[in-house]
Structure formats: C-alpha cells, structure tokens
Amino acid sequence: MSKIALVGNNRTFLASVSKALKAEGLEVESYSDGEVALDAFSMRLPDLAVLDCKSPQMNGMELLERLREESSLPVILMSSKEGEIDELWALRMGADDYLRKPCSQLVLLERIRALLRRQKIWAAASHEDGTEVPVMVRGPLTMDASRHEVTWRGEQVSLSPTEFLLLQAIAHRPGIVVSRNQLLDEIGDTTSCDRIIDGHIKRIRKKMREVDDGFLAIKTVYGSGYRYSAYETPLPEPAIGQKLVRSLNSP
C-alpha cells in the first residue's frame, strides 16, 4: 500500500483529500506543520508528498529544498501564487509536479496517480524478478537501471526517479529528437502539460554540470523536443605530461 503525506495549513482541504485518497486504498498521513513533517520523514519516508507553500514554520519550498538534500522523494508542490516564475523555480528545485490553488480535488488525485504510476515504471526497471538488466552506455554516460545509478565520465550523479527516466528516454537513441509529449509518456504522466518536462531537463543539466561544467550532451531542438549527443560535449584537456607525449609522437 502506497503512503501519501499531505503537508499544509488548510485543515479542511487536508481532511477532504485524505478521505478521498483513503477511499482509493492509499495510506495517508497529514501534517499541518512543515517541521513536524520533516521530523516524521526522517523516521520513514512516504511514497509521495503533497506540499503546500503556505505551511507554517517551514513552507513548502523550504521543505522541498531540505528534502532534496537527502532524498528523491516524489513531490507535488501546491501554491496560490500566479505566474510562471514560481512554477519554474519549484521545478528547478526538484518538484516533480506543480499545481496552482485553488485546484479541483479530482485534478490533484489524478496527478498523484500519475506520479505513483511513474514510481511503478521506475521499480519495474530494476526487474524485481531477479533477471539481469543491461547497463546502458552512451559515450561518457553510464546508466544502471537495476541499481538506479548514473555516472558521467566516471563521476556519480544523483537523479530522482523522474529525472532518471527522462535521461534514459533521451539517451536511449542518440541523435534522435524525442518530443516533450513522448517524454511525458515515458514517465507515465498523462495529466501534466509538456512545460513540466523543461523544468526537469534543466535540473538534469544542472546536476550533470556539477560534475562536468562543460556538459552539453542534452540538446534542445526548439519546437520539437530534446536530443542526446554525447560527442558534442568537449573532452577534458589532457594533463601537461600527456600533451608533451602527444607532441613528441606527432609527425
């Protein structure tokens, strides 16, 4: 049974959503305080969290930032703020989805279902029946689905389940443009707009550039989608000794 955590200051909303989720056969814990929620998460992480930006003591953005320091827990962030800036900022911070309030309970429930489906896709990638999962190597990129590990030029990169699935989908066929709608299908999301993909891609690039500031392997094809081309990323400069050997051996 999947466990859902609800964090917010609107007790009426928390109670109604909790009731609806329990009717779906889900386990639900509600928290009216972000600090209390974080303490509870340190003992046992839920399978998914819905965070309200207006939570007292620690708002949803702050809680998301703290969670991303140590966890790839799927998160839906809710906010009453208008405009794209807050949505883009939330996605760049690592939210898996973003909803503006007020939103219908049905929409929230469908977004929760979409993220839980994504988790099942992620779990299925590890072949729980024990069969071996091939490791995908694309130039400097190595992706091991059975261990949920990603390395770039030998350096480990920590990706959330959503980010892993997106990178895997783009890198699977190098040189081929993958549309945003195709990427939504890959992560099992049938409810979000394609703009959410852009936020995830920006976060993947940021994480890759933390280990390689010259990372350029994910190319944006404007109006179409994204394309993987590892060999458009410049190789590291050789050490001084290597340069000298090359110069001596060159004709």
Side-chain angles (χ1 to χ4, degrees):
M1 180 186 295
S2 298
K3 180 180 179 180
I4 311 298
L6 305 175
V7 185
N9 63 349
N10 188 325
R11 295 179 183 274
T12 301
F13 181 77
L14 290 178
S16 62
V17 173
S18 177
K19 182 178 179 180
L21 291 174
K22 288 177 180 178
E24 294 280 325
L26 299 168
E27 181 183 352
V28 183
E29 288 289 344
S30 297
Y31 305 92
S32 58
D33 186 298
E35 289 279 7
V36 174
L38 190 63
D39 288 341
F41 294 171
S42 67
M43 301 297 293
R44 179 197 168 190
L45 275 176
D47 296 291
L48 183 149
V50 179
L51 312 181
D52 189 334
C53 277
K54 288 188 176 180
S55 300
Q57 304 303 320
M58 181 187 297
N59 67 40
M61 285 284 199
E62 292 171 330
L63 181 52
L64 173 62
E65 186 176 13
R66 295 282 296 276
L67 285 171
R68 285 295 173 258
E69 291 174 359
E70 300 180 356
S71 168
S72 58
L73 170 71
V75 170
I76 297 175
L77 193 68
M78 301 184 68
S79 175
S80 58
K81 292 184 179 180
E82 295 292 336
E84 293 185 348
I85 299 299
D86 290 287
E87 180 175 357
L88 291 174
W89 183 245
L91 294 173
R92 289 178 185 180
M93 286 178 63
D96 293 271
D97 205 346
Y98 182 94
L99 283 174
R100 287 193 181 90
K101 300 187 300 181
C103 72
S104 76
Q105 191 177 104
L106 290 176
V107 170
L108 175 59
L109 291 175
E110 192 56 42
R111 295 294 181 87
I112 290 172
R113 292 190 192 103
L115 271 179
L116 291 177
R117 284 197 300 270
R118 196 177 305 171
Q119 286 297 96
K120 289 181 180 179
I121 294 172
W122 168 254
S126 64
H127 285 199
E128 294 178 346
D129 58 3
T131 58
E132 185 177 354
V133 180
V135 174
M136 185 173 73
V137 179
R138 297 290 185 268
L141 174 70
T142 300
M143 301 190 73
D144 186 340
S146 64
R147 294 179 175 83
H148 300 166
E149 291 181 351
V150 178
T151 60
W152 177 262
R153 299 198 191 285
E155 297 288 335
Q156 191 161 348
V157 182
S158 178
L159 298 182
S160 71
T162 300
E163 293 160 356
F164 187 100
L165 291 171
L166 287 174
L167 179 58
Q168 186 178 54
I170 295 170
H172 181 65
R173 292 183 293 169
I176 304 298
V177 177
V178 186
S179 73
R180 291 170 177 81
N181 285 332
Q182 287 175 311
L183 291 173
L184 284 173
D185 290 340
E186 288 288 341
I187 61 176
D189 191 337
T190 59
T191 60
S192 299
C193 66
D194 58 11
R195 182 174 54 196
I196 199 169
I197 295 296
D198 298 334
H200 291 310
I201 296 299
K202 287 176 182 176
R203 187 162 178 83
I204 293 171
R205 285 171 171 158
K206 179 183 177 182
K207 289 183 176 181
M208 289 296 190
R209 286 169 183 159
E210 288 174 357
V211 300
D212 177 6
D213 57 10
F215 178 82
L216 296 170
I218 301 177
K219 311 297 290 186
T220 300
V221 182
Y222 292 99
S224 298
Y226 295 95
R227 172 172 55 85
Y228 178 84
S229 181
Y231 301 103
E232 293 185 32
T233 300
L235 293 172
E237 282 292 316
I240 295 175
Q242 291 175 312
K243 290 181 179 180
L244 179 60
V245 170
R246 286 185 185 179
S247 63
L248 291 174
N249 290 337
S250 59

